[in-house]
Every structure is written in C-alpha cells, then in structure tokens.
Amino acid sequence: MTATPTHCPYCALQCGMTLHPGRGAVRVAPRDDVPASGGGLCQKGWTAAELLTVPDRLTTPMMRAGKGAPLEPCTWDEALDRVAAEAVRLRALHGPDAVAVFGGGGLTNEKAYLLGKFARVALGTSQIDYNGRFCMASAAAASGRALGLDRGLPGPVTDLAASGAILLAGGNVAETMPPFMRHLTAMRDAGGALIVVDPRRTATARQSDLHLQPAPGTDIALANGLVHLAVTEGLADEGYIAARTTGFDAVRTVVNAYWPGRVERITGVPVPAMREAVRLLARAGRAHVLTGRGAEQHARGTDTVSAFINLALALGLPGREGSGYGCLTGQGNGQGGREHGQKADQLPGYRRIDDPAAREHVARVWGVDPGTLPGPGRSAYELLSSLGAPDGPKALLLFGSNPAVSAPRAAHVEERLGALGLLAVADVVPSETARLADVVLPAAQWAEESGTMTNLEGRVLRRRRAVPPPDGVRTDLEIIAGLAARLGAPGEWSADPEAVFGELRRASAGGAADYSGITYERIEAEGGVFWPCPSEDHPGTPRPYLDRFPTPDGRARFVPVDHRGPAEDVDADYPVYLTTGRVLAQYQSGAQTRRVPALAEAAPGPFVELHPDLAGRLGIEDGARVRVESRRGAATVRARLTTAIRPDTVFMPFHWAGEGRANLLTNPALDPVSRMPEFKVCAVRLRPRSSRGDAPHAPRSGPRLEVSGF
Ligand SMILES: Nc1nc2c(c(=O)[nH]1)N[C@H]1C(S)=C(S)[C@@H](COP(=O)(O)OP(=O)(O)OC[C@H]3O[C@@H](n4cnc5c(=O)[nH]c(N)nc54)[C@H](O)[C@@H]3O)O[C@H]1N2
Ligand SMILES: Nc1nc2c(c(=O)[nH]1)N[C@H]1C(S)=C(S)[C@@H](COP(=O)(O)OP(=O)(O)OC[C@H]3O[C@@H](n4cnc5c(=O)[nH]c(N)nc54)[C@H](O)[C@@H]3O)O[C@H]1N2
Ligand code: SF4
Ligand SMILES: [Mo]
C-alpha cells in the first residue's frame, strides 16, 4: 500500500496527515501542505492510527432478542431487516414522526447529506437533529442574523497571523486545537496582541497579552461594556458603521447602561483591563473577535455571540480584509455537517425547510413531490428528551454521537433512550450509547473511507481511504442506502461517496452553502475549495464579506442584547458555579480517545478543578474524591487544586462515562433561538466524598459560602 494524504479524524482544524500503512500498524506523519495546520499535529493526531486497531472495535452487527436480552452477533441482513421492519411497524402505529434520526458533526458531508435525505424521504420524519446543536448552534444563529451567513471564520486561518489584535472569548485553543496556536504566536511575534476572555487562566490565557477573567455567564455584560467604552472613548468606527451596517442606534442606547463600574461589578473584570482590551483592538489596524464554546454554550448563547459581533462591528472589523468576527468550529466536519440537512429545520445548501422555494428545489433533486417533505422537527435536546414519550418518537437511528455521555442532564437522556421501542446505533466502537442499543451497526471509520470534510475555514477537503475496513464492517453510506432500499424509498440511493457528493452539489446549488462548483478533482488539485462555489470555473470564496454582506440590503445588522445572567444562578443551596469543557488528550465523549493508551494515560479520569481558597473552606484536598451535586444529579470525581480558576467557579471536563460524568450535573436550559443547552454554567455544591454527606438522604442544604467579588 502507498502513503495516503488525508486529514485527522478529530477536530475542525482538520490537520493534514499522511498515513503510511505498514506491516501491522499504520504510521502517521504530518503534512506541511495544509495551511491550517502548517505541519503541526497534536497528541491526538499523532496517535490517531491507533483507533484503527482498538481491541474492542465493532466488527459484526449485533442485536437483542428482546428488551433485557444481551446483544448478540447477527448478520447484516438480520440487523438491517430488523431496523426497517420496526421502523415500518412503529410508523404504521404512531405516524411518520415515530421514527427519529440523530447525526453528528464528525460525519462527512456525504453522510450528513444522505442522513438528512434518508430522514425526509425514506422515513418521512421531521424528527432529525444532530450533536452540532450542542456545539455550533449559537454562533450559527448569531452569525446568520448579523452577517447573513453562518461560516465559522471570515477568511483563511492564516489571515490571523497578520492581525494586529485578536480577542478570543471562551476558547482554549492551546488544548482544543494546539496547532492553531502557531497562527496566534506568529501574530504576537509580529507585535500583535492576544486578548483571552475565560473564567480560567488556561494554557491559552497564559500565552495571551491580556486575560479577562469574568464569572461564567456574564459575557454579554462584558461585551456590552466593551462597546460602551468604544463609544465613549471615540474608538467606534463611525464611517464604517454608517456605510456597512444597520441598527447601531439601538445598540448605542442599550450599551449606555453598561458603564465600566457596573460591568466590573457584574463580571469581576477590572475596568482598566476592559479599557486596555478596547484600545488594543481599536488601534490594531487589522483585528479579529473570535468566540469559542465558552461564550456560546449558554441559554443566552445567541445573544452572547451577538454582543461580541456588535463589538466587532462597532470597531469596523467584519468585511475588511484580514479582519472580522469568527467562531471556532469544533468537530471535524462541524462546518459542513451544519450545512446539508441533518439539522431539524434545514435542507441541503443551508436552506430552510420551511421555505417553499427551497423545498421545491431539493424535492426535484430527490425526485419526490415537495408536498411529501416533512416540516421542521425538534432540536437535539428536545428530541432526546421526548424519546419514548406519548407524543415523542418510539425509535431512534443514531450515527456518530454518544449522547449518553455528551448530552446535558445525561441521566435523563439515558432513561429516555431506554424507553424507546427501537434504538439502532451505528458506531466504530461500543460507545456508552451503542451499549444501550437494540441493534448495533459496525461502521467504517475515517482512514477506511472516502469523502469530504469542511474545515473551520469553510474549506472543503478530501478524506481519503488509506486502508480497507475490517471484514464485516460497512460504511455509514452503505448502511443508510441499505436501509433506504429496505424501506422502498423513491429516488437514487448510491453508497458511493463521489456519487453522493455529485447529488449534494446539485441539491446545494443556489443555496447559501453552494457546493455546486466543487469536485473531488478540484479539491485535490487546489488543496481544498472554499464555499460558496457556484460553478466549476468559480474560484471559491475564502473571504465572503469583503464587498457586501449576504443580507437583503448588503449591510451587517447590529442586534441589541441585554445581560440577564445564567438560567440557574448560585444560591444558598448550590453556591458554586460549575463550568465544563475539554482537556487536550481526550476528545468529546471520549469514546475514541479513552481507547488510545497514550491518551488514556495522559488524561486518565474525570476531575474537578477548584481554587485552593474554595477547597480550603470545604475541607477538600488535592487529589481527594469529591462529590459534586446539582439539581440534576451528582458526580464523583478527583479534586484538582489550581489558582488558575476563579474561587467562585469549578471546572469539569466532560470526556468520561459513569459516576464522573460532568453531564450528570449540567442544566438543559435552552437558548430560545439556537436551542443550545447551557453547558457552560450551572449551580453546584461540593463535599469531600468521605464525609457523611454521602448518605443517600443527606440534608438538602450544602455549606454556605461567601463567594464575593473576585
Ligand atoms: N482536546 C480536545 N480538543 C477538541 C475537542 C475535545 O473534545 N478535546 N472538541 C472539539 C470540539 S467539538 C469543540 S466544540 C471545540 C471546543 O473548543 P473550546 O471552545 O476551546 O473548548 P471548551 O473547553 O469547551 O471551552 C473553552 C473555554 O471556555 C471557558 N468558559 C467556560 N465558561 C465560560 C463563560 O461563561 N465565558 C467565557 N468567556 N468562557 C467560558 C472554559 O473555561 C474553557 O477554557 O474543541 C474541539 N477540539
Ligand atoms: N458538559 C459538556 N457537554 C458537552 C460539551 C461541553 O462543552 N460540556 N460540548 C458539546 C459539544 S461542543 C459537542 S460537539 C458534543 C459532542 O459529543 P458527541 O456527540 O458524543 O461526540 P463524540 O464523542 O465525538 O461522538 C462521536 C461518536 O461517533 C463515533 N464515530 C466516529 N466516527 C464515526 C463514523 O464515521 N461513523 C459513525 N457511525 N460513528 C463514528 C465515535 O466512536 C463516537 O462514539 O458534546 C457536547 N457536550
Ligand atoms: S488539532 Fe485537531 S485536527 Fe489537529 S491533530 Fe489535533 S485533533 Fe487532529
Ligand atoms: Mo463541539
């Protein structure tokens, strides 16, 4: 076998790697022809080939004879026949919405597209959503309403190196996409300033020029305060505001109420630091405002992103070359996965499913009557939470997600999964969710298949097959096409990635995310193509906002937003803020990375990070077992003491299953626009595990804490 150039299986940076299949093992080498990673890989990328040979890799379909019976190996025909027959039976009993589909932002464009088509055409269900709802949804909604488009970065990631200042709100890229740091380092080496907004002094914040450390859930107040300062200090770009935007007057009125002293009281960020941040951004020439999940995963996440976009607009950044607002897309195909129809309200090409013209166009490509296409369905958490309920779906087909670990209020979600008539899970490994399934479908993974991925820049890349899948394993496309055939679905159902991509091109033509001019050959010849790309002679669009914004009047829109605080604030019973996130060596629900020995060793188990002052008051020592409780449940983890976090806040990564699951605690309060759950802040109390508080009927009130200004 020859060396195969492809990309990392994990995050949206999609670092370039070459796979060298050898006797027994596949060797990974970084590619230096991929600008986003520039020859870099993180520890997860270096060890990615070990995913191909994990000992408990799924290689045979399995099913249960009945509820409570064990999972037993079966043939593909038995497994697919069972799924199709149950889908037909439940649909006949309860109507088409009885069968639901859940997808993932790690799936290729081809899979995301085919899954959306499968739900609407083969099952006729409106009930489809995906894990990107937990990821990009708030940034997507806010970008759409302000800039007219949801494309993560405003230009190639290499533009960041030439920036004069970058404000990064709620992103810890030093851990979540380490090779991204080289662009920020290059900027700083050239004299640019990095400003990090994070309640923790993270590895990223330690490499910044200015660290603003607000309380979780207070970013709207902070961003409004920064706009207030931009206005009062004469740093707003009035010429740009007049020429390229609408709605500034309403924002000016709202931010009037965010005078620096008040914002300091709400956020804990000192006034001089706020002033410094605005000056650095305003005087930089080129500058960027970026958001990560820390700013976005809130019940007011869309408004939070709007507040940061308002700041970028007030300073005249979006639509200027080498400047702008961007969000850091997370999953491998987090960008493409949100464009081609696995979202509850969406058709391919970033079209709305309730738009008659969009339905007409896509139905023609699919060879069906537009009247047969269902309308919008439930968002991810609402879908998971309704499973098995009287008015909810009775069957779920799940591809590329592990919600038993990653969904908010996970114990409830697990219980809902258990209430289904049929749970079918396609996965590579026996994830915690796959283990709950009635039917398990073993899927091929990244290095064993072909397709396209769209990285955080909006650049469409080729994923290439380097090794054959193990015997007995099928690709997701083969699984979906096999089910569509059994369900007698009309139209074409190819399992060939390039043929599916051809159909996706036609379906996306004319949409906001237009891929119609992109071909596999072009991607290979040009090292990737930026969408929108409406024809084969179109060069692609690296910087979509330069001439005009894709809004009806071509202008960007300010959106006035007010601070309201977290959906669940701290009180006497639950006096500490919990925020959640990631560590370098683990990925998401950990289904993949917990199985890679070097990564499991680097980040072996769940923990809670807390300040020594807080730990001292609670009698918690470094390394001790701690019980963390919220109104949703309790988790038991190790304490990790650090002065890098605010004393009123604790942090837990969400990568582990079992009793250390962060999502046993999280609050599923949803953003009204994006339906994003509030992963990043809820109220908890902590106690040492050995104390009497472990008793099942422990008194409800926890230790009273005086956690005041930071
Ligand atoms: N190692 C690793 N890398 C990954 C992933 C992974 O699981 N592991 N997942 C990928 C995916 S899908 C995603 S979405 C990205 C996520 O990438 P990031 O957004 O960088 O990751 P998080 O750790 O979720 O959150 C970032 C920071 O937000 C801070 N934060 C918490 N609450 C608040 C708040 O209220 N305001 C502000 N301003 N900050 C807050 C946290 O302290 C944390 O340091 O990472 C991608 N890369
Ligand atoms: N508390 C808390 N919870 C969070 C977050 C947080 O910050 N805090 N972040 C949220 C975010 S941003 C995200 S993106 C979600 C992610 O959470 P999940 O959706 O659970 O993501 P993964 O763990 O990546 O799950 C992917 C699953 O698909 C499997 N898989 C990999 N490749 C393939 C393939 O090609 N085909 C198939 N069929 N399966 C495949 C993997 O083995 C794994 O089991 O978690 C969310 N949950
Ligand atoms: S930064 Fe992301 S894409 Fe790059 S090697 Fe690490 S996990 Fe893979
Ligand atoms: Mo994500």
Side-chain angles (χ1 to χ4, degrees):
M1 284 249 206
T2 51
T4 306
T6 187
H7 297 269
C8 177
Y10 300 114
C11 86
L13 198 56
Q14 283 296 290
C15 295
M17 56 171 63
T18 307
L19 298 180
H20 300 269
R23 245 184 279 276
V26 172
R27 189 169 60 81
V28 171
R31 277 167 70 184
D32 52 18
D33 61 340
V34 174
S37 53
L41 290 176
C42 78
Q43 194 186 8
K44 296 187 298 301
W46 279 110
T47 55
E50 293 184 39
L51 293 172
L52 301 169
T53 53
V54 295
D56 61 350
R57 176 73 193 271
L58 293 172
T59 54
T60 175
M62 289 186 285
M63 61 187 193
R64 293 179 207 278
K67 289 284 167 197
L71 277 170
E72 298 201 73
C74 62
T75 67
W76 272 103
D77 277 339
E78 286 166 341
L80 296 178
D81 287 349
R82 163 97 174 267
V83 174
E86 275 296 281
V88 168
R89 188 180 72 82
L90 292 166
R91 192 168 59 183
L93 276 175
H94 306 283
D97 283 352
V99 186
V101 176
F102 199 88
L107 302 176
T108 60
N109 289 314
E110 291 78 359
K111 296 177 191 185
Y113 165 79
L114 204 65
L115 202 57
K117 174 182 172 184
F118 174 77
R120 275 65 174 240
V121 175
L123 294 171
T125 181
S126 69
Q127 301 295 295
I128 173 169
D129 211 43
Y130 81 123
N131 68 5
R133 188 71 68 178
F134 298 156
C135 183
M136 306 309 307
S138 290
S143 299
R145 74 186 181 186
L147 309 175
L149 194 67
D150 161 29
R151 223 194 59 181
L153 290 178
V157 63
T158 41
D159 279 3
L160 297 178
S163 206
I166 295 177
L167 178 137
L168 171 57
N172 181 16
V173 284
E175 296 207 58
T176 54
M177 32 189 82
F180 186 97
M181 282 307 286
R182 66 191 56 208
H183 307 296
L184 302 182
T185 306
M187 172 198 70
R188 293 184 72 214
D189 288 347
L194 176 63
I195 307 158
V196 169
V197 181
D198 197 305
R200 302 185 302 139
R201 189 157 180 79
T202 58
T204 314
R206 284 200 294 274
Q207 298 181 56
S208 71
D209 301 280
L210 180 63
H211 176 205
L212 313 183
Q213 203 167 355
T218 63
D219 294 75
I220 298 183
L222 179 67
N224 279 355
L226 297 178
V227 179
H228 177 106
L229 282 169
V231 172
T232 54
E233 305 212 340
L235 296 171
D237 188 338
E238 302 286 350
Y240 166 96
I241 291 169
R244 298 212 55 187
T245 73
T246 57
F248 186 54
D249 286 344
V251 167
R252 201 195 300 261
T253 306
V254 165
V255 302
N256 247 332
Y258 292 81
W259 61 90
R262 176 176 177 230
V263 174
E264 176 173 328
R265 276 196 301 283
I266 298 173
T267 62
V269 176
V271 174
M274 287 188 253
R275 248 185 246 288
E276 176 70 4
V278 175
R279 287 180 188 163
L280 284 170
L281 286 169
R283 295 186 179 151
R286 293 177 165 198
H288 287 85
V289 174
L290 304 177
T291 59
R293 299 306 82 73
E296 300 164 13
Q297 289 173 324
H298 292 279
R300 303 282 314 286
T302 306
D303 282 356
T304 310
V305 175
S306 289
F308 283 110
I309 296 179
N310 289 342
L311 174 64
L313 290 172
L315 297 173
L317 305 179
R320 289 214 169 134
E321 186 154 348
S323 292
Y325 162 77
C327 76
L328 299 173
T329 298
Q331 298 184 81
N333 194 30
Q335 178 73 57
R338 67 187 196 255
E339 299 163 358
H340 298 297
Q342 59 177 335
K343 256 175 138 168
D345 51 0
Q346 191 193 59
L347 290 173
Y350 224 114
R351 290 183 157 91
R352 292 186 59 96
I353 202 165
D354 56 7
D355 168 5
R359 295 168 66 87
E360 180 77 39
H361 170 84
V362 174
R364 201 168 338 108
V365 175
W366 288 348
V368 299
D369 177 342
T372 64
L373 297 181
R378 291 180 174 91
S379 76
Y381 179 74
E382 290 164 293
L383 177 60
L384 294 171
S385 176
S386 72
L387 296 175
D391 64 341
K394 310 292 183 280
L396 177 69
L397 279 46
L398 186 141
F399 290 76
S401 181
N402 187 11
V405 176
S406 58
R409 198 184 165 205
H412 168 69
V413 167
E414 219 177 309
E415 182 224 320
R416 290 292 92 210
L417 291 166
L420 285 166
L422 172 79
L423 173 62
V425 175
D427 206 308
V428 178
V429 292
S431 72
E432 287 70 22
T433 311
R435 283 180 210 191
L436 302 173
D438 303 291
V439 181
V440 175
L441 306 166
Q445 60 176 317
W446 116 101
E448 302 158 354
E449 63 174 14
S450 174
T452 61
M453 305 282 278
T454 306
N455 77 355
L456 79 177
E457 309 171 283
R459 196 194 303 247
V460 185
L461 304 168
R462 280 280 283 119
R463 167 181 276 195
R464 291 185 190 79
R465 178 170 145 147
V467 293
D471 284 344
V473 162
R474 294 193 183 174
T475 67
D476 293 298
L477 293 180
E478 288 168 340
I479 296 171
I480 299 166
L483 287 171
R486 282 170 174 79
L487 290 164
E492 287 293 309
W493 293 89
S494 175
D496 172 62
E498 198 164 358
V500 176
F501 190 73
E503 202 182 296
L504 180 161
R505 291 174 59 195
R506 293 199 301 285
S508 76
D514 189 331
Y515 280 43
S516 59
I518 305 177
T519 64
Y520 278 21
E521 295 72 40
R522 275 194 70 180
I523 299 172
E524 287 176 17
E526 298 169 30
V529 181
F530 288 87
W531 70 261
C533 180
S535 65
E536 286 190 34
D537 55 9
H538 186 283
T541 315
R543 298 177 187 87
Y545 309 123
L546 290 185
D547 304 326
R548 65 190 301 280
F549 293 96
T551 53
D553 62 2
R555 288 161 176 262
R557 293 172 288 219
F558 280 95
V559 179
V561 291
D562 249 318
H563 167 75
R564 246 178 254 136
E568 180 186 59
D569 216 330
V570 291
D571 59 18
D573 286 340
Y574 297 91
V576 178
Y577 291 116
L578 167 71
T579 191
T580 62
R582 298 162 163 82
V583 297
L584 199 164
Q586 295 288 352
Y587 190 70
Q588 315 275 59
S589 74
Q592 293 162 288
T593 45
R594 280 185 270 125
R595 290 178 160 81
V596 174
L599 301 177
E601 198 179 308
F607 61 89
V608 60
E609 200 176 276
L610 73 166
H611 194 280
D613 290 354
L614 175 61
R617 268 174 284 179
L618 297 172
I620 293 171
E621 287 177 8
D622 194 32
R625 274 158 65 79
V626 184
R627 187 174 157 95
V628 187
E629 298 170 352
S630 79
R631 289 185 178 82
R632 271 74 51 200
T636 302
V637 292
R638 295 274 171 203
R640 196 176 280 188
L641 270 50
T642 169
T643 53
I645 191 163
R646 296 172 54 104
D648 59 0
T649 303
V650 300
F651 168 80
M652 285 173 69
F654 75 102
H655 309 295
W656 292 275
E659 63 168 17
R661 255 182 302 173
N663 279 320
L664 293 171
L665 306 167
T666 45
N667 183 5
L670 300 183
D671 181 290
V673 184
S674 67
R675 318 307 283 166
M676 161 76 80
E678 188 135 272
F679 286 119
K680 286 294 191 268
V681 54
C682 70
V684 297
R685 61 187 175 207
L686 293 86
R687 60 185 88 215
R689 185 70 174 100
S690 53
S691 81
R692 274 181 291 150
D694 289 349
H697 301 292
R700 296 273 298 169
S701 68
R704 178 80 177 98
L705 268 182
E706 296 300 330
V707 205
S708 54
F710 180 59

